[in-house]
């Protein structure tokens, strides 16, 4: 909870400023105002997936850096707040979907390869955030690294498309039908600004598919 409040305060002024000229950012920020709690996240999962999620959380809490468990829980809850259907894949990945008529469409994936880093896959809305000035190129010219404004902290974001080599099964569907995606990699001790920027990016992406939800009713 402390991390979420600190991160919100860190980027609040930037998000508010851009909301005046970018309605999508105002809607995105609003969608992040009341994320699910972890208990609610678990309650939305089928019994088998719920047990897998509880084991993953317990494993992370028992690891050398218990903060990773908090980061994983926070991101899982945020992504399910934006996309209401989740599926646990193996021991390392969660896929998130939105209803799409009679079917469902994958829009996010959360990956933890137990290497200390946490990876999020989402639709490509990088242009919107760079044009709004929330993300700017790295001053050192590092590939796939952008700076978060105003904190100037780095955030690794790698664009993906259908030409990407050997996309893994848990995010392959994000690249179908000429779709493009982003792979966001958070370091073991991600800062509040890095986490908040990642959540905002996913929330902006969610504004593009929120219209598909009513059609499924």
């Amino acid at each position: 909870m402390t991390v979420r409040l600190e991160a919100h305060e860190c980027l609040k002024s930037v998000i508010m400023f851009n909301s005046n000229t970018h309605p999508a950012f105002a809607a995105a920020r609003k969608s992040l105002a009341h994320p699910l709690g972890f208990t609610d996240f678990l309650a939305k999962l089928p019994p088998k997936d719920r047990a897998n999620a509880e084991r993953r959380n317990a494993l992370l809490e028992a690891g050398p850096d218990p903060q990773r468990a908090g980061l994983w829980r926070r991101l899982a809850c945020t992504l399910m707040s934006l996309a209401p259907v989740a599926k646990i894949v193996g021991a390392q990945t969660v896929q998130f979907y939105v209803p799409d008529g009679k079917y469902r469409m994958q829009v996010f994936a959360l990956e933890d390869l137990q290497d200390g880093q946490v990876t999020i896959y989402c639709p490509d809305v990088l242009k919107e955030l760079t044009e709004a000035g929330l993300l700017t190129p790295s001053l050192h010219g590092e590939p796939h690294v952008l700076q978060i404004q105003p904190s100037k902290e780095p955030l690794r974001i790698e664009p993906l498309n259908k030409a990407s080599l050997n996309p893994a099964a848990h995010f392959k569907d994000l690249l179908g039908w000429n779709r493009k995606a982003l792979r966001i990699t958070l370091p073991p001790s991600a800062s509040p600004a890095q986490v908040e920027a990642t959540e905002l990016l996913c929330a902006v992406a969610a504004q593009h598919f929120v219209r598909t939800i009513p059609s499924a009713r």
Side-chain angles (χ1 to χ4, degrees), residues 6 18 34 49 55 71 89 111 119 151 162 176 181 205 207 209:
E6 290 176 353
N18 285 279
H34 303 288
D49 285 355
R55 280 195 292 270
L71 176 61
V89 182
E111 176 185 67
T119 307
S151 71
K162 63 180 181 180
Q207 302 311 304
F209 55 73

Side-chain angles (χ1 to χ4, degrees), residues 49-127:
D49 285 355
R50 186 182 311 133
N52 287 336
E54 289 173 333
R55 280 195 292 270
R56 160 55 60 184
N57 181 59
L59 180 64
L60 290 172
E61 286 190 328
D65 185 4
Q67 288 186 342
R68 284 179 55 203
L71 176 61
W72 184 85
R73 288 194 302 267
R74 170 175 171 166
L75 292 171
C77 291
T78 294
L79 294 178
M80 186 178 263
S81 299
L82 300 173
V85 181
K87 176 183 178 183
I88 308 296
V89 182
Q92 300 172 331
T93 307
V94 189
Q95 294 172 307
F96 298 87
Y97 301 82
V98 294
D100 187 16
K102 295 187 298 182
Y103 306 98
R104 62 185 186 181
M105 177 177 65
Q106 185 185 357
V107 289
F108 301 120
L110 175 62
E111 176 185 67
D112 179 5
L113 297 179
Q114 303 181 49
D115 59 357
Q117 298 180 327
V118 177
T119 307
I120 301 92
Y121 297 85
C122 77
D124 187 352
V125 290
L126 190 56
K127 183 178 179 181

Side-chain angles (χ1 to χ4, degrees), residues 21-36:
T21 54
H22 297 272
F25 288 101
R29 188 167 56 84
K30 185 177 180 180
S31 70
L32 294 171
H34 303 288
L36 289 173

